[in-house]
Amino acid sequence: IGRDPLEYADSEKDLGVLINFSFDLNDQIDALISKANQKFGLLRRTCHFVQDTKRRRALYLTLVRSQFEHCSPVWRPSGKSNLEKFDSFQKKCIKWILSEEEHSYHSHSCHFRKCRQAKILPLSKRFDFNDLILFHKVVYQDIPLELPNYLKFFDGCSRLRSTHLDDLCIVSDMLPRASAPNLLKKSFFYRTHSLWNSLPYEIRSISSKKLF
């Protein structure tokens, strides 16, 4: 700035989110999991006397999983390896909640069953949920953020003789490029418009953010 040279930084934190030069958000993901591990370790040591499942669940949601809520639509993992990091972490936490730390949740179906038993969404589904909450606010103009130009409400025109789309479905004028398909697929609006369309019409038609 002026005559003073700026030092090079591998990453920078903006509004609590670590951004690096390649925008891959791996630094943010690793930092969050590390912090959540510290919080969980502290929780286990200081609340070892808590044996009730409901209380353990409340402690986990309040002190540990809350670390993953801030700006998750911005940084949420989309690659398989990063999603597995979060799944592996939550498996460990659910074992503690259910007092089954000696058990092995060896399969996805077992993990999902234990999540249901603990009444906790798998983290991949929680990230989807947070995406949809923000998308709903954009659609119903509850926040000063608009849909990008390439996304539009379905107007009834389709090349297909029959279509499952309705007036609250959102369609894209843009398709992922063959040379770099993940750039668009990983973006918030593109990935979430498909999730939005998969919801029942009765849910998408709820304009109140409190009821959605």
Side-chain angles (χ1 to χ4, degrees):
I1 300 176
R3 295 183 179 181
D4 298 327
L6 296 176
E7 295 184 4
Y8 177 81
D10 292 326
S11 61
E12 185 67 32
K13 181 175 286 189
D14 186 14
L15 298 177
V17 179
L18 275 172
I19 307 293
N20 63 18
F21 67 93
S22 61
F23 292 95
D24 60 14
L25 297 169
N26 285 334
D27 292 342
Q28 168 72 7
I29 290 170
D30 291 341
L32 278 174
I33 291 179
S34 176
K35 186 176 181 180
N37 263 310
Q38 293 173 7
K39 294 278 187 181
F40 181 58
L42 179 63
L43 174 61
R44 291 178 65 187
R45 292 192 299 272
T46 56
C47 297
H48 58 87
F49 55 88
V50 177
Q51 300 298 321
D52 181 69
T53 298
K54 291 183 178 179
R55 291 181 180 178
R56 285 190 171 191
R57 175 183 178 274
L59 288 168
Y60 165 69
L61 294 178
T62 304
L63 301 176
V64 181
R65 199 190 68 180
S66 59
Q67 304 299 316
F68 304 142
E69 298 294 312
H70 177 67
C71 292
S72 67
V74 175
W75 60 260
R76 65 159 291 174
S78 54
K80 183 178 179 180
S81 59
N82 279 330
L83 281 172
E84 286 178 348
K85 291 179 183 178
F86 285 93
D87 283 341
S88 177
F89 172 75
Q90 183 156 271
K91 282 179 184 178
K92 176 172 60 177
C93 297
I94 289 180
K95 287 179 182 180
W96 176 75
I97 292 170
L98 299 177
S99 300
E100 295 181 347
E101 293 177 88
E102 303 301 322
H103 292 65
S104 174
Y105 299 169
H106 55 279
S107 65
H108 284 294
S109 60
C110 178
H111 173 49
F112 273 54
R113 187 171 65 254
K114 293 300 181 179
C115 285
R116 191 178 298 111
Q117 183 179 342
K119 297 181 180 180
I120 294 174
L121 278 175
L123 282 173
S124 58
K125 300 301 181 184
R126 181 67 186 181
F127 294 142
D128 288 344
F129 176 78
N130 290 342
D131 280 356
L132 285 167
I133 291 295
L134 178 57
F135 199 84
H136 176 271
K137 292 178 181 178
V138 174
V139 167
Y140 285 99
Q141 301 177 348
D142 290 325
I143 56 176
L145 185 62
E146 297 180 353
L147 291 171
N149 292 332
Y150 66 84
L151 291 180
K152 297 178 177 62
F153 284 101
F154 181 62
D155 59 6
C157 298
S158 174
R159 297 178 182 177
L160 302 176
R161 292 184 178 180
S162 62
T163 178
H164 66 281
L165 300 178
D166 54 58
D167 62 310
L168 286 180
C169 282
I170 294 175
V171 294
S172 173
D173 292 336
M174 189 183 300
L175 295 175
R177 294 172 56 185
S179 58
N182 288 332
L183 291 179
L184 184 61
K185 286 181 178 179
K186 290 181 179 180
S187 65
F188 166 73
F189 282 108
Y190 190 87
R191 71 169 183 256
T192 313
H193 92 277
S194 296
L195 281 174
W196 172 264
N197 292 343
S198 68
L199 294 176
Y201 184 88
E202 293 75 14
I203 294 179
R204 284 179 284 129
S205 62
I206 299 173
S207 59
S208 171
K209 59 185 177 183
K210 292 183 179 180
L211 298 177
F212 178 73

